[in-house]
């Protein structure tokens, strides 16, 4: 059973470009969480999704950021018109979705905006 | 708003020592607490999960305790080894399908050979 898979592992974008980060949850997991880790900061919750539904996006910046988890395929975190402040490590976690369950994290995507 | 604090921020000890990492949280209404390990440039590895109804969990040389009423958890590492060097993160889950995990900033641990 493969773990949570994120790609790409490293992504470089110029200011103003779009960044697309992908996350494939563990097999059997239908709940996905995205977190951001800024340099010298702790991980911060961004968004919680189930298949085809955004459950909680309270941690997501209001502009330029969006997330989806389609019926088929990976979850996508999309950042439009990237700025230098978006440079961070973005982590995805998945769980079976029940209460009291353990969250499993991917290796992260390290986004660098130049 | 839930806040998680980890003390100390950094710790360096000789190999073989037993050590304790501390985690405190402001809102005791949690469903579970999870300890993770993060190696430089890598992802998070789950170490221990403690449900709110539990007092402690053990895995090998690791033991985590939870005092929900006082908002505290400790991670005890016995007979430390250089391979234990990493950043240790504490995170609480409020549950109810909202917010995900709230993380502390971590304790950066170095075990000297």
């Amino acid at each position: 059973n493969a773990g949570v898979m994120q790609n790409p592992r490293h992504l470089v974008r110029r200011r103003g470009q779009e960044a697309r980060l992908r996350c494939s949850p563990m097999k059997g997991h239908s709940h996905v969480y995205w977190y951001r880790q800024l340099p010298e900061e702790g991980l911060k919750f961004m968004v919680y999704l189930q298949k085809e539904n955004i459950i909680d996006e309270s941690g997501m910046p209001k502009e330029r950021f969006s997330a989806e988890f389609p019926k088929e395929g990976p979850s996508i975190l999309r950042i439009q018109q990237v700025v230098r402040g978006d440079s961070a490590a973005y982590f995805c976690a998945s769980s079976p979705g029940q209460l009291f369950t353990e969250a499993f994290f991917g290796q992260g995507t390290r986004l660098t905006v130049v | 708003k839930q806040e998680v604090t980890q003390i100390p921020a950094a710790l360096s000890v000789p190999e073989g020592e037993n050590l304790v990492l501390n985690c405190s949280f402001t809102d005791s209404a949690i469903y579970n607490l999870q300890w993770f390990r993060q190696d430089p440039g890598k992802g998070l590895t789950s170490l221990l999960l403690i449900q709110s109804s539990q007092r402690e969990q053990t895995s090998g040389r690791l033991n985590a305790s939870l005092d929900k009423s006082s908002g505290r958890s400790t991670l005890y590492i016995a007979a430390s080894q250089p391979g234990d060097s990493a950043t240790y993160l504490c995170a609480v889950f409020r549950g109810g399908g909202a917010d995900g995990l709230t993380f502390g900033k971590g304790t950066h641990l170095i075990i000297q050979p």
Side-chain angles (χ1 to χ4, degrees):
Chain A
N1 185 7
V4 179
M5 303 300 292
Q6 289 189 249
N7 67 81
R9 292 289 307 277
H10 300 274
L11 182 62
V12 179
R13 285 286 178 266
R14 296 184 186 281
R15 281 179 294 171
Q17 290 184 319
E18 178 179 289
R20 280 182 177 246
L21 289 62
R22 295 174 184 78
C23 169
S24 296
M26 287 181 68
K27 187 176 181 180
H29 288 192
S30 58
H31 296 242
V32 165
Y33 299 80
W34 285 92
Y35 295 83
R36 177 165 67 173
Q37 187 175 38
L38 292 165
E40 306 304 322
E41 295 284 331
L43 280 91
K44 301 292 185 187
F45 165 78
M46 297 181 74
V47 61
Y48 164 39
L49 310 104
Q50 296 178 22
K51 287 281 189 181
E52 300 185 277
N53 283 303
I54 297 174
I55 306 302
D56 182 356
E57 54 183 350
S58 59
M60 194 104 92
K62 294 283 189 287
E63 298 178 351
R64 302 187 297 108
F65 285 72
S66 62
E68 63 177 10
F69 190 13
K71 186 176 180 181
E72 301 291 337
S75 175
I76 306 287
L77 178 67
R78 182 183 178 203
I79 311 172
Q80 296 178 289
Q81 299 173 359
V82 296
V83 300
R84 289 223 169 109
D86 297 332
S87 295
Y90 291 83
F91 291 96
C92 167
S94 74
S95 77
Q98 299 170 9
L99 291 176
F100 313 122
T101 56
E102 192 171 0
F104 295 88
F105 279 74
Q107 292 292 301
T109 293
R110 278 151 185 84
L111 172 66
T112 302
V113 180
V114 297
Chain B
K1 179 186 172 184
Q2 178 75 270
E3 291 184 4
V4 179
T5 303
Q6 291 188 245
I7 295 173
L11 182 63
S12 180
V13 301
E15 179 178 5
E17 285 200 4
N18 303 323
L19 52 99
V20 175
L21 308 182
N22 296 291
C23 171
S24 62
F25 46 96
T26 55
D27 186 349
S28 62
I30 64 169
Y31 274 102
N32 61 44
L33 182 146
Q34 205 165 345
W35 282 93
F36 295 89
R37 167 185 174 140
Q38 185 175 28
D39 293 280
K42 301 290 181 62
L44 279 69
T45 300
S46 178
L47 297 173
L48 289 164
L49 171 72
I50 311 178
Q51 306 294 356
S52 62
S53 58
Q54 298 174 324
R55 298 283 295 181
E56 65 177 334
Q57 283 286 339
T58 298
S59 176
R61 294 182 293 107
L62 304 179
N63 176 275
S65 68
L66 174 64
D67 184 343
K68 185 181 166 184
S69 61
S70 68
R72 295 179 187 277
S73 176
T74 61
L75 178 67
Y76 176 81
I77 303 176
S80 58
Q81 303 171 359
D84 295 330
S85 298
T87 297
Y88 290 80
L89 298 168
C90 167
V92 297
F93 180 59
R94 190 181 75 178
D99 290 353
L101 291 163
T102 301
F103 282 85
K105 290 189 176 182
T107 293
H108 181 54
L109 176 64
I110 296 174
I111 307 298
Q112 306 155 12

